[in-house]
């Protein structure tokens, strides 16, 4: 076992991303120790207004966090929930009736103009608006009625790591608050996250398999699907490897034809109903001789070409995504370093994306 990912010294490539990955257990503890009262207060006020529908608005990594919230809201609350198309209001000037609709905008920086404009338009259209950000002084917070601070602290590396897991945990606690739950399933997460991040040598060895990969396919179902999408994004923005993410169900509807024994397939197997639903997909992938890398329970990893065993025994399925992404962040980091690139500063990217 290696030590947890270190902050690094000097100007070594990836030292900022490495340090921010290492902060994640402390960030999760901070949310659980300090953030819960504010999250519960916001959830109680919004629950009292009885929203009839939920719309989630986000871009990039935050979009994957929003997708996770969609699963939570639909499964645990039974509320219809959709992902907003911001251009309908920002580009086309549509004016939907959003009375009694909860609009949740997830943004690390809270500074992207289209997110701010969309949240402002939603509030003017009668929505209950909530900003979930890592910046309480952002323009997004200023135009939103409610705010949840994910308490991740400054994030300097361009690839988001700690703000992603902080957003997941904050959204989980918020949804728990809406339904009157206590969020106790999250208590074990900081300890387990620390244990996962201490296994850097395992991931480094696995990364050597994918140094020369020309493309990857990443798949999952249920709560694990947002993890697959976020893992693909991390690999593309750090190592520049084209990484295609699919729901396992969608993978069987055509894209399976491109899977062979050369292009790696990463399967995120949640320990629960999502993993059970993915089983036929795993069987088909093995039947095609795929180079299958599994992130999940021990039994699933044992039946794959390679993998990373997650400590999911006794962990509620709905919080497993906070753990699932950690080895995949590490994989993106290690593959990028192995390819001689700097994961701290991917080309052509900025921390705040100025979309309109």
């Amino acid at each position: 076992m290696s030590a947890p990912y270190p902050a690094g010294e000097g100007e070594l490539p990836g030292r900022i991303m490495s340090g921010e990955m290492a902060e994640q257990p402390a960030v999760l503890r901070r949310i659980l120790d300090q953030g819960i009262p504010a999250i519960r207060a916001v959830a109680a006020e919004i629950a009292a207004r009885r929203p009839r529908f939920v719309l989630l608005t986000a871009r990039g990594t935050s979009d994957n966090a929003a997708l996770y919230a969609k699963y939570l809201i639909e499964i645990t609350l039974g509320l219809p929930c959709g992902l907003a198309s911001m251009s309908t209001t920002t580009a086309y000037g549509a004016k939907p009736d959003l009375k009694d609709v909860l609009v949740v905008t997830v943004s690390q920086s809270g500074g992207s103009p289209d997110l701010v404009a969309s949240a402002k338009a939603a509030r003017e259209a009668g929505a209950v608006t909530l900003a979930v950000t890592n910046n309480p002084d952002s323009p997004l917070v200023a135009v939103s009625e409610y705010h949840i601070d994910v308490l991740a602290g400054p994030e300097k590396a361009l690839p988001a790591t700690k703000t992603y897991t902080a957003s997941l945990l904050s959204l989980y606690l918020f949804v728990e608050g809406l339904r009157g739950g206590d969020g106790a399933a999250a208590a074990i997460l900081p300890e387990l996250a620390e244990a996962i991040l201490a296994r850097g040598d395992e991931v480094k060895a696995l990364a050597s398999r994918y140094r020369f990969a020309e493309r990857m396919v990443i798949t999952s179902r249920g709560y694990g699907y947002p993890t697959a999408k976020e893992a693909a994004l991390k690999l593309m923005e750090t190592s520049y490897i084209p990484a295609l993410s699919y729901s396992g169900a969608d993978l069987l509807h055509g894209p399976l034809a491109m899977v062979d024994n050369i292009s790696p397939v990463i399967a995120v197997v949640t320990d629960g109903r999502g993993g059970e639903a993915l089983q036929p997909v795993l069987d088909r992938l093995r039947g095609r001789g795929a180079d299958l890398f599994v992130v999940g329970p021990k039994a699933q990893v044992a039946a794959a070409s390679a993998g990373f065993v997650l400590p999911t025994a006794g962990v509620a399925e709905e919080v497993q995504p906070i753990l699932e992404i950690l080895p995949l962040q590490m994989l993106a980091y290690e593959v990028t370093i192995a390819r001689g690139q700097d994961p701290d500063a991917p080309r052509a990217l900025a921390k705040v994306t100025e979309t309109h």
Side-chain angles (χ1 to χ4, degrees), residues 221 246-258 281 284:
R221 291 204 68 181
Y246 295 99
S247 156
D250 288 333
L251 185 63
L252 296 183
H253 283 267
L256 184 68
M258 71 177 174
V281 182
R284 291 284 297 277

Side-chain angles (χ1 to χ4, degrees), residues 326-348:
L326 300 177
L328 295 166
Q329 291 174 348
M330 295 156 69
L331 182 69
Y333 170 89
E334 293 291 0
V335 169
T336 305
I337 293 294
R339 289 163 70 97
Q341 295 151 197
D342 184 358
D344 284 343
R347 64 193 181 205

Side-chain angles (χ1 to χ4, degrees), residues 1-2 4 25 189-200 202 308 311:
M1 301 292 182
S2 69
L189 295 176
E191 178 185 340
L192 295 178
E194 210 158 50
I196 290 170
L197 290 167
R199 294 162 60 190
E202 279 185 59
F308 188 99

Side-chain angles (χ1 to χ4, degrees), residues 54-89:
V54 182
L55 274 177
L56 296 153
T57 308
R59 295 286 192 202
T61 284
S62 293
D63 200 31
N64 300 326
L67 181 59
Y68 166 73
K70 184 177 189 295
Y71 277 89
L72 283 174
I73 290 164
E74 291 182 345
I75 294 169
T76 66
L77 301 181
L79 276 177
C81 182
L83 298 174
S85 301
M86 281 176 280
S87 62
T88 60
T89 54

Side-chain angles (χ1 to χ4, degrees), residues 26-239:
V27 171
L28 299 177
R29 287 192 182 95
R30 186 183 308 136
I31 295 168
L32 293 171
D33 293 343
Q34 302 172 24
I36 286 181
I39 294 172
R40 284 179 176 164
V42 168
E45 286 195 35
I46 292 175
R49 297 174 68 170
R50 301 179 65 84
R52 60 182 171 87
F53 190 89
V54 182
L55 274 177
L56 296 153
T57 308
R59 295 286 192 202
T61 284
S62 293
D63 200 31
N64 300 326
L67 181 59
Y68 166 73
K70 184 177 189 295
Y71 277 89
L72 283 174
I73 290 164
E74 291 182 345
I75 294 169
T76 66
L77 301 181
L79 276 177
C81 182
L83 298 174
S85 301
M86 281 176 280
S87 62
T88 60
T89 54
T90 60
Y92 291 92
K95 297 185 182 298
D97 178 8
L98 297 178
K99 184 179 179 182
D100 300 326
V101 173
L102 171 59
V103 174
V104 181
T105 305
V106 186
S107 172
Q108 300 150 47
S109 68
S112 184
D114 59 346
L115 291 168
V116 175
S118 180
K120 185 174 184 290
R123 190 170 182 180
E124 291 171 350
V128 179
T129 53
L130 168 65
V132 179
T133 80
N134 194 41
N135 182 3
D137 300 318
S138 64
L140 178 62
V141 173
V143 301
S144 301
E145 188 174 358
Y146 297 100
H147 173 238
I148 290 174
D149 185 348
V150 303
L151 301 175
E155 187 173 60
K156 296 179 180 179
L158 287 177
T161 53
K162 64 178 182 173
T163 54
Y164 179 69
T165 49
S167 296
L168 295 189
L169 179 55
S170 298
L171 288 163
Y172 166 73
L173 294 170
F174 170 66
V175 174
E176 278 288 283
L178 288 177
R179 72 182 188 94
D182 60 10
I188 192 68
L189 295 176
E191 178 185 340
L192 295 178
E194 210 158 50
I196 290 170
L197 290 167
R199 294 162 60 190
D201 285 347
E202 279 185 59
V203 178
K204 190 171 185 176
L206 290 165
S208 64
R209 295 170 59 97
Y210 308 118
R211 178 180 179 183
F212 300 108
E214 294 184 1
R215 70 165 184 245
M216 291 188 182
V217 173
I218 308 178
T219 188
S220 189
R221 291 204 68 181
Y223 283 114
Y225 180 43
T227 306
K229 289 178 69 66
E230 174 61 10
L233 178 60
K234 282 293 152 287
L235 282 161
M236 287 189 288
E237 70 184 356
T238 57
S239 69

Side-chain angles (χ1 to χ4, degrees), residues 199 202 206 209-210 292-296 301-302 304-309:
R199 294 162 60 190
E202 279 185 59
L206 290 165
R209 295 170 59 97
Y210 308 118
L292 182 60
F293 175 103
V294 166
V295 175
V301 171
S305 308
F308 188 99
V309 177

